Amino acid sequence: MASHRKWSPTGTRIAGIRTPALATAALTSVALLSQTANAAPSADSKPSIEEVEKKVDDLYHQAEAATEKYNATREKTAQQRKRVDSLLDDVAQRTEKLNTAREELGSFAAAQYRTGASAPDTATLLLADNPQDYFDQTQLMDRLTSRQKVAVDDYITEQATTTKKRAEASQSLQTLTTTQSALKTSKADVQRKLAEARDLLSKLTAEEKARLAAIEKKKQEAADRKAAELAQQQAAAEKKAQEAAAQQQTTSATTGTTATTGSSATDSSYTAKADKALAFARTQIGKPYVWGATGPGSYDCSGLTQAAWKAAGVDLPRTTWDQVNAGTTVPLSDIKPGDLVFFYDDISHVGLYIGNGMMIHAPKPGAYVREESIFYGGESIIHSVVRPA
């Protein structure tokens, strides 16, 4: 049988007691932690300016995502309100028709009563919850004239339709209440994120604000360099394309063939529309970013792109999540003025490309519509490029 030896910890002896080395270290750690807990908070516990900058950027990003959710919910609420209004109008009209039909049946009942015919059956019909069931259980229909039968049929049909429309209106009202509640929640979410960002910024000292401005300046310089690189690459590609086109024309002239112009015609049509969208966007520069705004005095990011392309005769959806699907996706290397540039994995921001690596966009709360490099947050945040027309 194998022997089981009891583990004997090593260590030093104090007054005849063996003190394990690990226990000694633990006691030392406890003492140090106790001293640290009693000491005054260290200045190093305050977040660095870089951490504050990242936190603020994240909060603004979250606020933009919440804004797009708010925009989508507000649009859904507006559509639902129109549906409710339409249904209520329909119910009112049908109720009026039902009352007219009821009055006509009442006049028949009165005539039957004056002539000594059986009137109570018709009167009971007017009070019945389900006229059709009532007719199934009586012989009233056999005693009605052709004109009366038509009136009764109309009454039964109108009552059934009115009942159905009232149920639809009731359900639509419940849906409207739900979307209004969601709209309120989305609005509160945006306001909470913005308040947190403002609170962080308000606690910065003058020196910290200066350091934050220096960080932003470096980021801007890096973004501008990246934009210049893209502009150079596109210029080189354009020159190469022009040389290829010239070579094709020379070849066509030599061989007597005609060069294809379909692509050029398409490009020309898009350029004309894009020019109108860009012209509109440039006149909005300097107007404030306001979340949920669609102009004319202020905009959020998707509100600006929607308004710009509307000026060119192209209707875009309201939110970035829908606008990203409202056109043809193209590679970044193929980007053209007028294209929409979407940012972040959640597609919560959009700008209008103007060329040379630059765009016009409504950046964030507290900022104004401006021209800026599409690389303002680095190339990694660019989600996709979409050509809307």
Side-chain angles (χ1 to χ4, degrees), residues 27-42:
L27 290 172
T28 304
S29 299
V30 170
L32 290 173
L33 288 172
S34 177
Q35 293 174 5
T36 302
N38 294 329
S42 171

Side-chain angles (χ1 to χ4, degrees), residues 117-283:
S118 177
D121 284 342
T122 308
T124 304
L125 166 67
L126 299 178
L127 300 175
D129 291 333
N130 191 328
Q132 189 61 59
D133 288 346
Y134 178 78
F135 275 113
D136 291 342
Q137 298 170 16
T138 69
Q139 302 299 318
L140 176 61
M141 208 65 173
D142 295 335
R143 301 199 299 273
L144 298 178
T145 66
S146 296
R147 182 185 173 192
Q148 289 173 328
K149 289 178 180 179
V150 170
V152 169
D153 286 341
D154 289 345
Y155 176 79
I156 293 172
T157 300
E158 200 58 48
Q159 187 185 58
T161 304
T162 302
T163 300
K164 179 180 178 182
K165 290 297 181 181
R166 282 173 177 164
E168 289 181 15
S170 177
Q171 181 61 47
S172 291
L173 280 170
Q174 291 179 12
T175 303
L176 177 59
T177 300
T178 300
T179 57
Q180 286 175 328
S181 177
L183 184 64
K184 185 177 180 181
T185 300
S186 297
K187 183 176 181 179
D189 193 23
V190 176
Q191 293 173 327
R192 184 169 55 255
K193 299 298 183 186
L194 294 179
E196 192 174 346
R198 286 192 294 266
D199 183 58
L200 278 174
L201 291 173
S202 68
K203 294 177 180 178
L204 296 179
T205 65
E207 181 182 353
E208 288 172 332
K209 289 179 180 178
R211 289 171 58 196
L212 183 60
I215 291 174
E216 291 293 337
K217 184 178 179 181
K218 286 184 178 179
K219 287 173 62 177
Q220 185 65 53
E221 290 171 349
D224 290 343
R225 284 195 299 271
K226 194 70 177 176
E229 290 175 9
L230 178 61
Q232 290 175 355
Q233 293 169 3
Q234 289 188 313
E238 180 67 22
K239 182 179 179 181
K240 188 174 181 180
Q242 290 175 350
E243 291 174 350
Q247 180 63 38
Q248 184 179 12
Q249 289 180 347
T250 300
T251 302
S252 298
T254 303
T255 60
T257 59
T258 303
T260 303
T261 59
S263 177
S264 298
T266 302
D267 290 346
S268 177
S269 174
Y270 179 74
T271 299
K273 293 178 181 178
D275 286 345
K276 291 180 181 178
L278 292 172
F280 177 90
R282 287 191 176 96
T283 63

Side-chain angles (χ1 to χ4, degrees), residues 212-374:
L212 183 60
I215 291 174
E216 291 293 337
K217 184 178 179 181
K218 286 184 178 179
K219 287 173 62 177
Q220 185 65 53
E221 290 171 349
D224 290 343
R225 284 195 299 271
K226 194 70 177 176
E229 290 175 9
L230 178 61
Q232 290 175 355
Q233 293 169 3
Q234 289 188 313
E238 180 67 22
K239 182 179 179 181
K240 188 174 181 180
Q242 290 175 350
E243 291 174 350
Q247 180 63 38
Q248 184 179 12
Q249 289 180 347
T250 300
T251 302
S252 298
T254 303
T255 60
T257 59
T258 303
T260 303
T261 59
S263 177
S264 298
T266 302
D267 290 346
S268 177
S269 174
Y270 179 74
T271 299
K273 293 178 181 178
D275 286 345
K276 291 180 181 178
L278 292 172
F280 177 90
R282 287 191 176 96
T283 63
Q284 311 311 307
I285 291 176
K287 292 183 179 180
Y289 176 104
V290 174
W291 62 275
T294 56
S298 57
Y299 298 89
D300 62 19
C301 65
S302 55
L304 175 64
T305 51
Q306 182 188 49
W309 269 104
K310 186 176 176 119
V314 177
D315 290 328
L316 293 181
R318 175 64 183 94
T319 69
T320 54
W321 303 325
D322 291 326
Q323 288 182 11
V324 74
N325 297 315
T328 304
T329 301
V330 297
L332 181 60
S333 59
D334 216 13
I335 192 171
K336 293 182 179 180
D339 290 351
L340 302 177
V341 188
F342 295 91
F343 299 88
Y344 305 107
D345 291 339
D346 58 3
I347 320 175
S348 58
H349 189 67
V350 63
L352 187 68
Y353 189 67
I354 61 176
N356 296 322
M358 304 292 287
M359 66 178 171
I360 295 175
H361 70 147
K364 60 185 178 182
Y368 297 84
V369 176
R370 66 192 183 202
E371 292 186 12
E372 191 166 23
S373 167
I374 64 173

